[in-house]
C-alpha cells in the first residue's frame, strides 16, 4: 500500500544520483510476450479419400502439395470385386424386366377374370421388390466408387469394367498420400488426404496466468507481412504438464507465409476493463514480496504498490494507485529505496 508520506529528494540530488523520470502510460490494450503456436488445418476443410473397394493401385496422378479440383481423378484401382457388383446390378435389372412383363401379363388376365386378384397383387409386389433391388445395387456401385454416369452407361451398354476411378471430392491441396503405386489395398484403405488451406488455424499454448484479457475476436500478431489472425476459441482445459491453455485463432490471407505443421511465435492482444498502466520494468522494485514504484511529487517521491499483469519486452503492465501522465523513477531506484528504508529504520 502507499506509504502515505514523501521521500524528500531535491532536483539537485536527483541529478547527482542519476534519477531519470518516465511518464506512466495507459495500457488498456497490450500484447503478450511471444507464445508458441502450431499451424494446423481446420478439420472441416480436410477430406480423407479412401479406396471404395479393395484392389490393386495401378495409377496415382497427384503427389504432395499438388493442387486438385473437385472431381479430379487421383488414382485408378483394379478391383475384381467391382465386376461382381456390376454383375449383380445387371441381374437385378433382368429380374426387374421379368417382373414388369409378368405384371403386364397378369393385368390382362385379371381384366378378363382369368386369374384371381391375389395373383395379380402378388405380381405387383414382385415388381416393387425387383425395383427396390435395382436401386440398392445402383447405390452399392456408387458407394464402390462408380460415378452415376458410369452406372447409367453400364445399364445401357451392359459392359463391365474392373477399374475404379478415385476422385477428389473438394478443391484443395494434397497434404498426404499414404498409398503406394502397385500395392494392394483393402476396402476403405486411405489413399489421399486433401484439404483447403484457407483459412488456417493457430493452436497457441498460452500460460494460465496470461489469459486475463484474452477474448474471442481479439487480434493475434503473426510473423507475416500479410494475413490477419483473430482469436476464435479459448480452451477450458489446462495441460497438466506445463499449465498452458489452448487458444485457437483463425488466420486468413497468410497462405504464402504459414504452412500446416509449422511452429511459430505469436503475440496475443489483451484488453481489460480494469485500468492498467505501462511502465519500464526498471522502475519496479520490491519491498518484501510487494512490487513498488516511486512516483515523483513536488519535493521528492512517494512509494506506490502495484501488481504486475504482464511484460512487454523492457516494459511491464501493472495495476495499482497510478494515473496516466504521472512520472515514476526509472533509474536510481536503489538510492531512493535506501533513503526510504533508512529513514524508516529499515
Amino acid at each position: 500500500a502507499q506509504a502515505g508520506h514523501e521521500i524528500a529528494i531535491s532536483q539537485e540530488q536527483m541529478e547527482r544520483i542519476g534519477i531519470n523520470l518516465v511518464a506512466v502510460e495507459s495500457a488498456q490494450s497490450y500484447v503478450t510476450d511471444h507464445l508458441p503456436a502450431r499451424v494446423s488445418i481446420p478439420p472441416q476443410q480436410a477430406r480423407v479419400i479412401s479406396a471404395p473397394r479393395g484392389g490393386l493401385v495401378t495409377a496415382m496422378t497427384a503427389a504432395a502439395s499438388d493442387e486438385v479440383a473437385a472431381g479430379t481423378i487421383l488414382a485408378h484401382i483394379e478391383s475384381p470385386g467391382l465386376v461382381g457388383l456390376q454383375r449383380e446390378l445387371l441381374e437385378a435389372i433382368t429380374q426387374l424386366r421379368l417382373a414388369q412383363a409378368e405384371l403386364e401379363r397378369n393385368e390382362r388376365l385379371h381384366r378378363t377374370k382369368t386369374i384371381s386378384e391375389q395373383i395379380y397383387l402378388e405380381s405387383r409386389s414382385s415388381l416393387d421388390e425387383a425395383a427396390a433391388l435395382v436401386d440398392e445395387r445402383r447405390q452399392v456401385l456408387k458407394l464402390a466408387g462408380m460415378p452415376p454416369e458410369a452406372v447409367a452407361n453400364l445399364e445401357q451398354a451392359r459392359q463391365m469394367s474392373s477399374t475404379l476411378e478415385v476422385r477428389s471430392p473438394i478443391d484443395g491441396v494434397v497434404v498426404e498420400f499414404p498409398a503406394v503405386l502397385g500395392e494392394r489395398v483393402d476396402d476403405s484403405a486411405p489413399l489421399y488426404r486433401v484439404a483447403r488451406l484457407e483459412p488456417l488455424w493457430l493452436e497457441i499454448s498460452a500460460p494460465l496466468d496470461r489469459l486475463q484479457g484474452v477474448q474471442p475476436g481479439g487480434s493475434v500478431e503473426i510473423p507475416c507481412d500479410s494475413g490477419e489472425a483473430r482469436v476464435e476459441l479459448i480452451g477450458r482445459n489446462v495441460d497438466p504438464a506445463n499449465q498452458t491453455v489452448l487458444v485457437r485463432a483463425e488466420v486468413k490471407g497468410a497462405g504464402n507465409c504459414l504452412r500446416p505443421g509449422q511452429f511459430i511465435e505469436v503475440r496475443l492482444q489483451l484488453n481489460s476493463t480494469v485500468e492498467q498502466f505501462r511502465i519500464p520494468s526498471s522502475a519496479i522494485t520490491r519491498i518484501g514480496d510487494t512490487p513498488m514504484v516511486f512516483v515523483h511529487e513536488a519535493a521528492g517521491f512517494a512509494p506506490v504498490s502495484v501488481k504486475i499483469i504482464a511484460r512487454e519486452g523492457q516494459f511491464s503492465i501493472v495495476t495499482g494507485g497510478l494515473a496516466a501522465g504521472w512520472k515514476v523513477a526509472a533509474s536510481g531506484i536503489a538510492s531512493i529505496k535506501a533513503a526510504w528504508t533508512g529513514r524508516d529504520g529499515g
Side-chain angles (χ1 to χ4, degrees), residues 264-281:
I264 62 173
E265 289 187 334
V266 301
R267 303 211 298 176
L268 296 172
Q269 179 182 346
L270 307 180
N271 298 287
S272 175
T273 56
V274 178
E275 193 170 18
Q276 298 178 157
F277 307 96
R278 180 183 290 103
I279 60 175
S281 297

Side-chain angles (χ1 to χ4, degrees), residues 88-89 92-93 95-97 99 124-140:
E88 290 176 355
L89 172 60
I93 291 174
Q95 294 299 318
L96 176 63
R97 291 172 178 170
R124 286 184 62 90
S125 177
S126 297
L127 178 64
D128 291 342
E129 291 177 1
L133 183 60
V134 170
D135 288 340
E136 177 187 332
R137 299 303 185 195
R138 286 173 179 154
Q139 292 301 319
V140 169

Side-chain angles (χ1 to χ4, degrees), residues 85-94 96-97 131 133-142 146-161:
L85 296 178
Q86 295 174 73
R87 184 187 67 250
E88 290 176 355
L89 172 60
L90 295 179
E91 290 174 352
I93 291 174
T94 300
L96 176 63
R97 291 172 178 170
L133 183 60
V134 170
D135 288 340
E136 177 187 332
R137 299 303 185 195
R138 286 173 179 154
Q139 292 301 319
V140 169
L141 278 175
K142 291 175 183 177
M146 283 191 69
E149 57 272 17
V151 176
N153 183 65
L154 170 66
E155 295 180 21
Q156 294 175 2
R158 301 183 71 84
Q159 292 182 349
M160 294 182 289
S161 171

Side-chain angles (χ1 to χ4, degrees), residues 188-263:
S188 302
L191 303 176
Y192 284 92
R193 183 166 173 253
V194 176
R196 293 193 302 271
L197 303 185
E198 177 68 24
L200 292 170
W201 277 356
L202 291 176
E203 297 175 345
I204 306 165
S205 297
L208 187 59
D209 58 0
R210 304 285 181 87
L211 287 181
Q212 183 178 352
V214 179
Q215 300 174 356
S219 178
V220 180
E221 291 186 5
I222 57 176
C224 297
D225 294 333
S226 62
E228 180 184 52
R230 294 198 172 275
V231 174
E232 184 180 74
L233 176 141
I234 301 170
R236 303 295 297 274
N237 297 329
V238 177
D239 187 334
N242 52 26
Q243 292 297 289
T244 60
V245 175
L246 169 68
V247 176
R248 190 170 70 211
E250 184 180 79
V251 186
K252 295 180 179 179
N256 294 329
C257 174
L258 302 180
R259 292 171 172 78
Q262 180 180 359
F263 285 90

